[in-house]
Amino acid sequence: MKIPQIPAYELERLAAVRSYNLLDTLPEKDFDNITALTASICDVPIALVTLLDADRNFLKSHYGINFSESPRNISFCGHAILDESNIFIVEDARNDPRFHDNPLVTEMHAIFYAGVRLVNSDGYPLGTLCVFDKKPRTLSKQQKTALTALAYQVVNLFEARKRNRTLMSVQQELKEKNEELKNFAGIVSHDMKMPLANMIITSDMLRSKYGSLLDVQGKQYLDYIKQSSFTLSEYITGLLEHYESDKTASLNGESFDSHDLLEDIIELLNINIDCEINLPEENIEMHANKVALEQILLNLIANSLKYNDKKKIKIDIACTEENGFYYFKISDNGIGIPKDKMDHIFDLFATTGKLDRNGKKGNGIGLSTVKKLVKKLNGEITVSSTVGKGTSFQFNIEKLKC
């Protein structure tokens, strides 16, 4: 018996084999299907997918035998990986000086062998797709072609699993980093709100106590401090809502009336300007995530109020139920959204660049949060707009089971 030689590139080859994380893994249907098909095509009782480790031949799939590994020093595959021809074939091992006294031949009657190397993208042979028979024989041209093609598919499966494992690892890492970022944003945002509240209160106290001692410019400085503090506070509140939207979207559904919900939102907005808000004609009994829906509508209606340059603001709200979804449409007569901004209007921190009714610039958080919540509620949102005439947002959310 001749023991297979060790390739000159063995260390690199072993590293390649182990990079696929397939050694000592359980059988998989995809590989077992290939070995069953290989045995059928080649008309043999045994077909294997093997991976050659340092001192053993691991059988990732074994059709026709009931063990999952054998010593490398007696393996036919140890010889096959060294042969650069398309297929390594031993027609009658009893007459071959390399194998005639091999235990696989003398004890298990492995007489015929044909193996195709499983070569990865870096050129290293990982193992073989091989077949055995207990009698001498040959393979037809068609069988050789099929064996080679199936070996190529085995390598494709190896590579696909490796890519999937890498993607899953990256996905998990991104998930962990995102969670860290959310926690960091939450902590920082909460910690910043109190100093900002103190700045607002302090500016009011300074104006009240020392206002008579300040000139017009000094009073303007106090106004700047207060207004900047309010702006930053709103920005932080928006960030908190954005990063906590996952929790909001995961809340249980509850039953409520659409009119009651909208009237509560309008009352919450405390509108003190000339505004006409037309509610849907039909009052729908809804079952959905009320908190998330309220946040969506609050953002959209508030935007219709803020980004409006008309003397009289007009907002039309429509709501219907169809095929297990609730459909909403919020239309206004506001300043509209420029065409070149439409594609990015839902991106985090994206703004139109225009000032609102009070001369303030948006922070680009509200609409991003809206889209995130709509998506979490298994819905979609779209926008249409004409500059100077108004904007219309349409979205739907899934009706929850009672």
Side-chain angles (χ1 to χ4, degrees):
M1 182 186 78
K2 183 178 180 180
I3 295 175
Q5 292 181 357
I6 301 299
Y9 46 80
E10 179 66 359
L11 291 179
E12 294 83 359
R13 193 196 68 79
L14 285 174
V17 169
R18 290 163 186 171
S19 71
Y20 290 87
N21 286 339
L22 289 168
L23 293 172
D24 298 313
T25 56
L26 295 173
E28 295 181 48
K29 187 175 181 179
D30 287 342
F31 294 107
D32 290 345
N33 285 342
I34 289 179
T35 51
L37 181 60
T38 300
S40 176
I41 291 173
C42 294
D43 192 24
V44 294
I46 299 170
L48 312 172
V49 170
T50 75
L51 290 164
L52 213 62
D53 200 4
D55 56 2
R56 60 176 176 150
N57 196 26
F58 174 70
L59 313 183
K60 175 57 185 171
S61 177
H62 44 90
Y63 178 89
I65 57 175
N66 58 5
F67 56 87
S68 59
E69 65 176 61
S70 62
R72 178 173 176 174
N73 61 0
I74 65 169
S75 72
F76 283 65
C77 297
H79 294 275
I81 67 163
L82 300 171
D83 191 293
E84 295 187 0
S85 59
N86 288 337
I87 304 179
F88 179 77
I89 297 178
V90 179
E91 293 183 355
D92 190 340
R94 297 170 300 182
N95 300 326
D96 193 311
R98 295 169 296 181
F99 304 107
H100 69 95
D101 56 349
N102 188 305
L104 294 176
V105 178
T106 58
E107 298 175 18
M108 298 188 64
H109 308 292
I111 306 302
F112 171 81
Y113 172 88
V116 178
R117 300 192 307 164
L118 303 175
V119 181
N120 76 348
S121 56
D122 294 322
Y124 295 115
L126 310 173
T128 68
L129 173 64
C130 62
V131 294
F132 283 93
D133 203 341
K134 295 184 178 182
K135 59 185 179 182
R137 56 167 302 156
T138 59
L139 293 180
S140 68
K141 182 179 179 180
Q142 290 81 2
Q143 289 172 326
K144 291 178 182 179
T145 300
L147 187 59
T148 303
L150 288 167
Y152 180 77
Q153 293 307 316
V154 171
V155 175
N156 282 345
L157 282 175
F158 284 175
E159 298 291 351
R161 274 156 175 69
K162 188 175 184 179
R163 286 193 299 270
N164 288 342
R165 193 176 64 255
T166 301
L167 287 173
M168 288 176 65
S169 176
V170 171
Q171 186 181 41
Q172 181 61 32
E173 185 177 350
L174 287 173
K175 185 178 179 181
E176 292 172 0
K177 293 294 183 184
N178 187 50
E179 195 61 34
E180 289 176 8
L181 179 61
K182 286 167 64 176
N183 292 335
F184 174 77
I187 292 170
V188 171
S189 299
H190 279 296
D191 288 349
M192 288 180 68
K193 286 184 76 69
M194 184 56 71
L196 286 170
N198 289 337
M199 289 172 66
I200 294 169
I201 294 171
T202 302
S203 63
D204 285 340
M205 290 175 62
L206 287 171
R207 176 182 283 276
S208 175
K209 191 170 183 178
Y210 301 107
S212 60
L213 303 177
L214 297 173
D215 58 14
V216 174
Q217 191 174 37
K219 292 177 181 179
Q220 284 180 344
Y221 288 153
L222 284 179
D223 289 340
Y224 291 155
I225 292 172
K226 183 176 180 179
Q227 189 56 52
S228 296
S229 299
F230 271 123
T231 299
L232 187 54
S233 181
E234 290 174 3
Y235 186 83
I236 290 169
T237 299
L239 276 178
L240 285 172
E241 288 179 352
H242 182 82
Y243 284 113
E244 291 177 356
S245 59
D246 287 340
K247 295 179 183 177
T248 302
S250 66
L251 296 174
N252 292 329
E254 55 184 296
S255 297
F256 54 92
D257 290 339
S258 59
H259 276 190
D260 288 344
L261 174 68
L262 291 167
E263 287 168 358
D264 288 344
I265 290 172
I266 292 169
E267 184 177 349
L268 187 63
L269 287 167
N270 192 26
I271 302 169
N272 57 5
I273 50 180
D274 190 4
C275 178
E276 176 187 328
I277 299 181
N278 298 309
L279 299 183
E281 292 184 6
E282 184 182 358
N283 184 21
I284 299 175
E285 176 70 22
M286 307 183 73
H287 192 80
N289 184 329
K290 184 180 180 181
V291 176
L293 179 57
E294 185 177 55
Q295 189 171 343
I296 293 167
L297 291 168
L298 188 61
N299 268 289
L300 294 177
I301 297 172
N303 277 353
S304 292
L305 292 168
K306 288 193 296 182
Y307 296 98
N308 200 305
D309 56 355
K310 308 302 188 296
K311 287 185 178 180
K312 181 171 184 176
I313 297 173
K314 184 178 179 182
I315 301 172
D316 295 317
I317 303 173
C319 178
T320 58
E321 178 184 347
E322 186 178 349
N323 298 326
F325 282 84
Y326 299 114
Y327 292 83
F328 286 87
K329 183 177 182 180
I330 294 89
S331 303
D332 62 52
N333 62 339
I335 61 176
I337 302 169
K339 191 174 181 179
D340 62 340
K341 303 291 184 181
M342 293 284 282
D343 290 341
H344 304 286
I345 197 67
F346 294 109
D347 294 348
L348 184 60
F349 304 128
T351 66
T352 63
K354 293 189 175 182
L355 302 180
D356 67 16
R357 193 178 186 89
N358 300 313
K360 295 165 61 178
K361 185 179 179 181
N363 51 42
I365 300 175
L367 287 180
S368 175
T369 303
V370 165
K371 183 171 183 179
K372 190 176 179 183
L373 283 170
V374 169
K375 188 175 181 180
K376 289 286 185 180
L377 299 180
N378 297 322
E380 296 178 346
I381 184 167
T382 58
V383 58
S384 58
S385 184
T386 302
V387 173
K389 292 186 177 180
T391 300
S392 178
F393 285 93
Q394 298 183 66
F395 72 92
N396 60 70
I397 63 169
E398 187 177 28
K399 178 180 180 180
L400 299 180
K401 295 180 180 180
C402 299

